[in-house]
Amino acid sequence: MNTLLSELSDVGRDPAGGFTRLAWTSADLELRDWFVARAGRAGLDVETDGNGNLWAWWGAELPGTAVVVGSHLDSVRSGGEWDGPLGVVSAFAALESLRASGWTPTRPVAVVAFCDEEGGRFGLACLGSRLLSGAVEPQRALTLSDDSGTTLAEAMSAAGHDPRRTGADPARLARIGEFVELHIEQGRMPLPNGAHGLAGAGHPVGVAREIWPHGRWRIDLQGVPDHAGTTALADRADPVLAMAGGIVEVRRAAEQLGILATVGRVRVLPGAVNAIASSASLWIDARGEDPGRVRELVALVEGRLGVVADPESWTDTTRFDTALTADLVAAIGGEVPELPSGAGHDAGVLSLAGIPTAMLFVRNPTGVSHSPEEHAEESDAAAGVAALTAVVRRMVR
Ligand code: GLV
Ligand code: MN
Ligand code: MN
């Protein structure tokens, strides 16, 4: 556990390991309360926007657009403690160190915690930033449902947030001059010099060049439900067999195309041990440098299974702002590795919405993420805070 994250270390601990902090659950609400309290201690003014994103302002009344720093607080199921929260706690720490040094902003500065970045509950990642930027229609988002059939609208209402407030918020977007998201490094991505990841390059922090295009698709396979003890094998229409074949096809197509594709979620209904299933669904997460290959994978799997996949989300290649990234590099000083990201981020959504956006990565020695094993060394997290502090100081000249 890192001292930066110590205040959050009891929230949403999963008995299966790691942390489960799905949007609008009690763990998420606890984290949201923490954000409000933390901002209050830092002397920042907090507001919740219509989409559930949390903002903590320093100098909101100052002229000009804001430099916004932050990330998200929710997690995947049994995820690590760093993905998301590191960016939020580092943002608070950076602003506090600026305040302690006697520095005051000449334009607004804000910490943001975007709502439901992982899509771990309702299936669509970066919901808060997508709603904010208009990349998803509120009507579509609000009717998404979790495993127990609770819709996003119902989950928001239960948490005291009026779902009628969701939707594109161009006025708020227009207040963002630049967005910088600090994030734990995920994977050990190849660098131009042949090294892999920040560990291979020997640097505590790096910057992101781009986010690979990525999407999620669902395939539903229908069967004929029947008794497991009385139906001859030859007489069965078992969708679980087709699903298993589909999972193998996803892997085969990914190898053929040289991209990444994963089936990390399946659903079998009704889910009885002694019944042939009535339906089986699998979700494909596919990503890679070349968007054409990612789409080709889905087409290949559709062709091989004779089905049509339902697209649940798509995010095109995101190239971060080169001028802002150059500012990050200059603020950090010296040689700073530039990495691609295979993971999606709210920074990508904002970038696609036309906001100058950049990312800082903090070294993760193994690269393991979305897992309890996710880790950064204390000194590297401190280097991340120092880099973010330098960036804000440089941007608010
Ligand atoms: C977000 O973490 C993603 O799945 O890319
Ligand atoms: Mn994540
Ligand atoms: Mn993240």
Side-chain angles (χ1 to χ4, degrees):
M1 194 239 308
N2 178 275
T3 48
L4 274 174
L5 295 168
S6 59
E7 291 178 11
L8 309 180
S9 63
D10 289 331
V11 185
R13 274 196 182 274
D14 192 319
F19 297 83
T20 297
R21 298 161 166 173
L22 305 184
W24 303 108
T25 60
S26 59
D28 188 39
L29 298 183
E30 235 184 287
L31 293 168
R32 298 167 71 81
D33 287 346
W34 167 84
F35 183 99
V36 173
R38 183 76 171 80
R41 286 205 308 275
L44 307 174
D45 301 320
V46 184
E47 57 175 342
T48 306
D49 71 19
N51 298 302
N53 306 308
L54 297 165
W55 302 80
W57 292 92
W58 186 3
E61 69 292 347
L62 292 169
T65 56
V67 173
V68 180
V69 287
S71 187
H72 61 97
L73 293 170
D74 66 307
S75 76
V76 294
R77 292 167 207 271
S78 296
E81 67 178 325
W82 304 82
D83 175 352
L86 181 63
V88 179
V89 295
S90 298
F92 280 123
L95 266 50
E96 279 183 343
S97 92
L98 285 167
R99 199 192 281 280
S101 72
W103 182 91
T104 51
T106 52
R107 53 187 282 220
V109 178
V111 178
V112 66
F114 283 110
C115 186
D116 197 358
E117 191 270 354
E118 298 287 5
R121 182 170 177 192
F122 299 103
L124 183 57
C126 298
L127 256 182
S129 55
R130 281 192 215 258
L131 280 164
L132 169 73
S133 66
V136 62
E137 289 297 322
Q139 210 33 47
R140 175 172 173 226
L142 292 172
T143 52
L144 293 169
S145 58
D146 67 10
D147 286 347
S148 63
T150 302
T151 63
L152 173 62
E154 289 164 347
M156 280 181 165
S157 297
H161 185 88
D162 185 350
R164 288 171 303 186
R165 292 180 59 210
T166 54
D169 189 347
R172 180 170 296 275
L173 269 190
R175 289 170 75 185
I176 310 173
E178 298 90 7
F179 176 52
V180 178
E181 180 169 359
L182 178 147
H183 204 279
I184 182 132
E185 180 186 19
Q186 299 171 292
R188 299 185 66 175
M189 302 298 270
L191 289 158
N193 67 5
H196 280 82
L198 295 172
H203 285 267
V205 294
V207 293
R209 179 173 63 242
E210 63 183 13
I211 299 179
W212 286 350
H214 54 283
R216 297 182 184 184
W217 291 262
R218 193 188 73 249
I219 291 180
D220 296 322
L221 301 154
Q222 304 307 323
V224 178
D226 211 330
H227 196 294
T230 60
T231 319
L233 294 179
D235 293 341
R236 297 178 183 206
D238 186 346
V240 175
L241 280 184
M243 181 183 80
I247 295 168
V248 173
E249 289 301 343
V250 169
R251 172 63 184 238
R252 194 175 294 165
E255 284 171 7
Q256 181 183 330
L257 293 162
I259 63 168
L260 301 175
T262 307
V263 178
R265 176 174 167 80
V266 298
R267 181 177 60 203
V268 175
L269 295 176
V273 177
N274 56 352
I276 297 157
S278 56
S279 76
S281 303
L282 65 92
W283 278 260
I284 305 172
D285 175 308
R287 317 176 186 219
E289 212 168 342
D290 174 3
R293 287 182 187 228
V294 178
R295 291 191 181 284
E296 198 181 333
L297 175 131
V298 180
L300 273 177
V301 173
E302 285 176 328
R304 286 173 188 168
L305 293 187
V307 294
V308 176
D310 198 359
E312 293 200 336
S313 68
W314 171 254
T315 307
D316 229 327
T317 310
T318 310
R319 294 207 171 77
F320 288 113
D321 189 85
T322 46
L324 181 58
T325 302
D327 268 314
L328 259 57
V329 170
I332 298 166
E335 195 197 325
V336 182
E338 219 181 72
L339 303 153
S341 172
H345 299 284
D346 295 305
V349 175
L350 262 57
S351 176
L352 289 171
I355 292 172
T357 300
M359 287 191 76
L360 280 168
F361 287 138
V362 171
R363 174 166 51 193
N364 173 348
T366 61
V368 172
S369 184
H370 283 185
S371 149
E373 300 305 315
E374 189 177 77
H375 181 70
E377 294 298 331
E378 184 102 15
S379 54
D380 289 353
V385 173
L388 198 58
T389 309
V391 167
V392 175
R393 198 187 275 278
R394 184 180 170 90
M395 298 312 300
V396 186
R397 280 176 294 203

